[in-house]
């Protein structure tokens, strides 16, 4: 028995969004009338029939591996300690900030 691979709902939505507007503009209004007259159940059956002609390989989920771990960068203590809470600056009404090249 072969394992079924998951289909991406994002890919399905993207495909529909991409092609629906173009089809709506390219096809005459008469083509859409039969679909607009269908009930929800009838339209669902029609869409399932159409879906049988779709290549599922186009819509598979593309899972990726874990992100590589990055080492944290070094920050000099003088840089880290010079940061001040905004509330203290607002309360004091002044900004004591002198940029020092490290």
């Amino acid at each position: 028995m072969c394992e079924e691979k998951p289909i991406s709902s994002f890919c399905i939505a993207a495909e529909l969004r991409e092609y629906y507007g173009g089809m709506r503009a390219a096809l005459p209004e008469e083509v859409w009338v039969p679909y607009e007259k269908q009930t929800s159940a009838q339209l669902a059956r029609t869409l399932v029939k159409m879906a049988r002609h779709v290549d599922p390989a186009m819509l598979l989920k593309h899972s990726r591996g874990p992100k590589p771990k990055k080492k944290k960068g070094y920050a000099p203590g003088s840089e880290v300690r010079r940061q001040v809470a905004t509330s203290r600056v607002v309360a004091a009404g002044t900004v004591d900030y002198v940029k020092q090249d490290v």
Side-chain angles (χ1 to χ4, degrees):
M1 185 181 217
C2 70
E3 178 184 334
E4 267 191 46
K5 295 185 178 180
I7 291 181
S8 168
S9 56
F10 173 81
C11 289
I12 293 171
E15 287 287 319
L16 288 174
R17 189 180 322 110
E18 183 178 344
Y19 291 108
Y20 178 75
M23 289 184 351
R24 219 28 205 180
L27 297 173
E29 191 64 34
E30 307 85 58
V31 173
W32 297 101
V33 173
Y35 299 108
E36 291 171 353
K37 291 181 179 179
Q38 290 182 345
T39 65
S40 298
Q42 290 170 333
L43 183 59
R45 281 193 294 274
T46 302
L47 291 174
V48 168
K49 284 180 188 175
M50 289 178 183
R52 289 189 182 119
H53 301 286
V54 173
D55 178 18
M58 267 182 24
L59 304 172
L60 292 179
K61 285 189 175 184
H62 303 288
S63 56
R64 61 183 295 265
K67 290 185 178 180
K69 299 233 179 201
K70 292 183 181 177
K71 290 177 72 175
K72 289 188 177 184
Y74 171 76
S78 61
E79 285 288 316
V80 174
R81 285 188 292 277
R82 82 179 163 115
Q83 295 184 7
V84 180
T86 306
S87 60
R88 289 185 194 159
V89 173
V90 172
T94 61
V95 176
D96 285 336
Y97 175 76
V98 178
K99 185 173 181 177
Q100 298 173 351
D101 292 327
V102 177

